[in-house]
Amino acid sequence: MSEKRITATRTIDAAAADIFKVLSNPERHAQIDGSGMVQSDDVSNRITGTGQKFTMNQNWDKMGGDYKTDNHVTGYDENKLLAWKTAPAGTEPPGWEWVWELQSQGPDSTQVSVSYDWSDVTDKEVLKKVSFPAVSQEELETSLGNLAAAVSEA
């Protein structure tokens, strides 16, 4: 696969601020995750800016079952953008990034895009072990559906 980024986009019937409120709360990420890897938040605070780090409890066979990730916030523009690079807990990010972009379509409608980008991964061992993409297009679309459901119950 030559493409090193996949993106899914969906219009959600909610205000950008309401969607961002869910996305910026790591406690809600297991509910949103379409891959099934995110199990729970490991006691993180709401995301309020770049440079922050939040830790998630994960489960994936390729990582030997249960493990933790540190997520380093790389992009933050309230109600518009949230991005982070993920790394096994206690390590520096090897290069893949999650990017959520919100474009208000009016008071109760927002176009939401989620991208999974591994173009900065250069470590051959990581590339071999993970075999990117670790998350599929369909799983990104499921995440958007889960986000729409989470926002409607908030």
Side-chain angles (χ1 to χ4, degrees):
M1 173 181 260
S2 60
E3 182 70 28
K4 293 186 176 188
R5 177 184 178 109
I6 53 177
T7 301
T9 302
R10 173 180 179 155
T11 299
I12 296 177
D13 295 331
D18 294 336
I19 295 169
F20 196 82
K21 186 175 179 182
V22 172
L23 287 175
S24 63
N25 181 355
E27 289 181 15
R28 305 292 299 271
H29 288 197
Q31 180 184 11
I32 298 165
D33 175 44
S35 74
M37 286 186 249
V38 178
Q39 302 300 301
S40 63
D41 168 48
D42 195 55
V43 191
S44 300
N45 295 319
R46 180 171 298 280
I47 301 163
T48 58
T50 60
Q52 286 182 292
K53 182 170 68 175
F54 61 97
T55 302
M56 302 304 289
N57 298 307
Q58 308 258 127
N59 183 285
W60 192 31
D61 291 343
K62 283 191 177 186
M63 291 294 286
D66 291 336
Y67 64 102
K68 292 181 189 284
T69 59
D70 289 337
N71 300 278
H72 302 253
V73 180
T74 56
Y76 183 93
D77 187 356
E78 191 169 353
N79 302 333
K80 294 179 183 175
L81 171 78
L82 191 56
W84 60 84
K85 288 190 174 183
T86 300
T91 68
E92 287 302 307
W96 61 89
E97 184 173 37
W98 298 95
V99 181
W100 292 86
E101 296 174 280
L102 286 64
Q103 292 183 327
S104 179
Q105 306 292 305
D108 296 315
S109 182
T110 306
Q111 181 178 299
V112 181
S113 295
V114 57
S115 298
Y116 173 53
D117 185 330
W118 61 99
S119 59
D120 288 342
V121 179
T122 57
D123 185 311
K124 288 180 178 25
E125 287 302 311
V126 170
L127 288 166
K128 189 169 132 183
K129 182 176 184 176
V130 176
S131 63
F132 290 94
V135 175
S136 70
Q137 177 78 38
E138 181 180 36
E139 290 168 328
L140 289 183
E141 290 168 6
T142 298
S143 293
L144 288 170
N146 293 347
L147 176 60
V151 170
S152 72
E153 69 184 42

